[in-house]
Amino acid sequence: GAMLHEWTASLVEEKFFFQLFVLEGAVYLWIGMDDSRFDSLGIGVPAAKGGRSGSMPSATTLIGGSGGDAGSQLLAQRLSRKFGLPVFVSLNLRDEPQLRLFAEKEALLALAEHVSPAQGTVGSRVDAPALSAAARTPAAAESGATCSPGGLSAGADHPGRGARVREVFEVHDDLAHRAAELLLEAAAAAIARSGVFVVALSGGSIPKLLAPKLLAAGGRAQLDRWRFFLADERHVPESSPDSNMGEWRQALLRPAAIQEEHIFPIADELPLDQAAKAYEAQLLSVLQSAAAAAQTAAKDTAGDGRAASVDVAAGRIDAIVLGMGPDGHTASLFPGHPIVDVESCAVAPISDSPKPPSCRITLTLPVLNTSRLALFVVTGASKAHAVRSAFEPEPGVPAGLVLAAEQTIWCLDAPAAAELLQGESTSAALYG
């Protein structure tokens, strides 16, 4: 059967309109105001009910899709978990927290009155799916933790393959220690697998934050087995203060006496396009060698000439260390720039970077997402809005599109995590 409930509610001088439609165990909720579209909910009706055969439309259609409101998915997830039913939401409100909180409270009260789990599939619980804004981005299991008084905050013990974990720290030294330990763990696993650790590094504040911890690890780090690439680089000489490799040489590579053949800077003397192609060739060559070594080691481990059951995928960077700007860019993948959608190459040139210097090379999003570990190190209150946007079901910033093959870990300081934690706190207060 079906049930339709319509009502209005007011907050000061703002008037809200609600439509609640229950159809065969699924709940469709439309929330809008005077200037909202009143036909939005119709796209969420199952295709079979629209006069043609077929299954349910894709979740992106059901919850807004391209051009939709990412808040729709967040609200749908919360209501689905609360009531144990699939809830699909079309949210058509201004992006003002007070308005949205009021609307969510009204929706909660209405669903509590008119919807019960008995109207859904008995004994089942269906959560509205958290989808990436790009189909090429793998689904991720979310895990996280809040700040602890001591500063260090560990994520889930076993977050699972493909998980995205965020950890929040009150003290920068604790953040640096944790990030370095994650790198050292990844390095140990890679060296055991293939004999080398292929890592791509980012600049900004990250070299100064991580290098002292890596140097302090001494022989345990096995830095002589690392192969040092860059997640992105400015097309400038290493002597330039804008050079990421120049920063890493000063902070880590020279003090650790890393052999030059293990360091892979860009060829800044080449034209930008050629420098990108040359860097891609270097990267792929090292990755193929590492994959071949891992395959040989796996056969040796099996002892009978057959490959052991281990992951030796070619073309996979072991770890990528990433930062994020206040606009949500990571590497040199900037919001609204075509560089975010490049899939035809591993390394791409960019000659019109919104942030100077304008000429850069960057690893592309597919390469970031095939890495084993993506480790974000993000600090500062100026990043708080972008952090929250990155963790939305349909991320509004490029950094949120990064989901590595095995694990994506965000190490955040408390100011950078403030809006994300506030949003979670508000949800917890509503839903208990």
Side-chain angles (χ1 to χ4, degrees), residues 309-322:
S309 179
V310 296
D311 180 6
V312 292
R316 180 168 292 177
I317 298 173
D318 293 311
I320 298 178
V321 182
L322 297 164

Side-chain angles (χ1 to χ4, degrees), residues 14 19 22 32 48 60 96 131 146 185 233 254 257 259 278 341 348 351 357 387 394 414:
E14 303 280 6
Q19 288 181 329
V22 182
T60 50
E96 297 178 16
L131 299 178
T146 56
E185 291 171 10
E233 178 61 296
R254 287 196 191 100
Q259 298 177 49
D341 299 316
S351 60
V387 166
E394 292 192 17

Side-chain angles (χ1 to χ4, degrees), residues 49-333:
K49 300 298 177 183
R52 63 179 178 86
S53 61
S55 59
M56 297 278 279
S58 69
T60 50
T61 299
L62 287 167
I63 317 178
S66 60
D69 189 323
S72 297
Q73 281 198 355
L74 289 169
L75 180 53
Q77 287 178 317
R78 292 192 288 266
L79 293 175
S80 292
R81 293 189 181 108
K82 175 70 174 179
F83 292 96
L85 296 170
V87 180
F88 302 106
V89 177
S90 178
L91 191 61
N92 304 272
L93 303 175
R94 298 192 301 275
D95 189 11
E96 297 178 16
Q98 185 180 15
L99 297 182
R100 295 191 170 213
L101 182 60
F102 175 81
E104 187 164 354
K105 288 179 178 177
E106 283 289 320
L108 267 171
L109 292 172
L111 264 69
E113 180 180 355
H114 296 283
V115 177
S116 68
Q119 290 176 281
T121 303
V122 176
S124 70
R125 168 173 164 163
V126 183
D127 288 350
L131 299 178
S132 165
R136 62 185 178 275
T137 306
E142 295 285 359
S143 179
T146 56
C147 297
S148 64
L152 183 61
S153 170
D157 290 336
H158 301 286
R161 188 178 180 89
R164 179 168 64 175
V165 178
R166 56 113 178 115
E167 303 182 17
V168 182
F169 303 84
E170 294 283 1
V171 180
H172 277 191
D173 190 64
D174 289 339
L175 187 157
H177 177 78
R178 173 61 173 160
E181 283 298 314
L182 289 167
L183 268 188
L184 293 173
E185 291 171 10
I191 292 166
R193 180 174 53 244
S194 66
V196 298
F197 176 52
V198 183
V199 61
L201 302 169
S202 296
S205 62
I206 294 175
K208 291 182 176 64
L209 200 63
L210 295 190
K213 301 298 182 183
L214 296 176
L215 289 170
R220 183 167 72 94
Q222 304 182 79
L223 291 174
D224 59 320
R225 299 288 192 93
W226 293 33
R227 302 297 180 262
F228 295 90
F229 286 87
L230 294 168
D232 72 319
E233 178 61 296
R234 292 78 179 263
H235 192 237
V236 296
E238 282 189 28
S239 58
S240 167
D242 289 323
S243 170
N244 289 337
M245 185 58 81
E247 286 193 55
W248 278 105
R249 282 192 187 275
Q250 181 177 352
L252 177 67
L253 305 180
R254 287 196 191 100
I258 302 299
Q259 298 177 49
E260 192 61 34
E261 58 264 33
H262 297 169
I263 304 171
F264 297 89
I266 70 165
D268 61 88
E269 71 278 5
L270 295 177
L272 182 62
D273 286 0
Q274 292 181 32
K277 290 178 182 177
Y279 206 62
E280 179 177 282
Q282 280 187 309
L283 175 63
L284 295 182
S285 176
V286 170
L287 291 176
Q288 288 164 5
S289 296
Q295 184 69 60
T296 299
K299 289 180 179 179
D300 291 344
T301 300
D304 56 5
R306 294 176 299 163
S309 179
V310 296
D311 180 6
V312 292
R316 180 168 292 177
I317 298 173
D318 293 311
I320 298 178
V321 182
L322 297 164
M324 185 187 70
D327 62 351
H329 84 270
T330 191
S332 283
L333 305 177

Side-chain angles (χ1 to χ4, degrees), residues 1-5 20-28 114-115 119:
M3 186 273 288
L4 176 65
H5 174 57
L20 177 63
F21 181 44
V22 182
L23 177 65
E24 295 189 352
V27 178
Y28 302 87
H114 296 283
V115 177
Q119 290 176 281

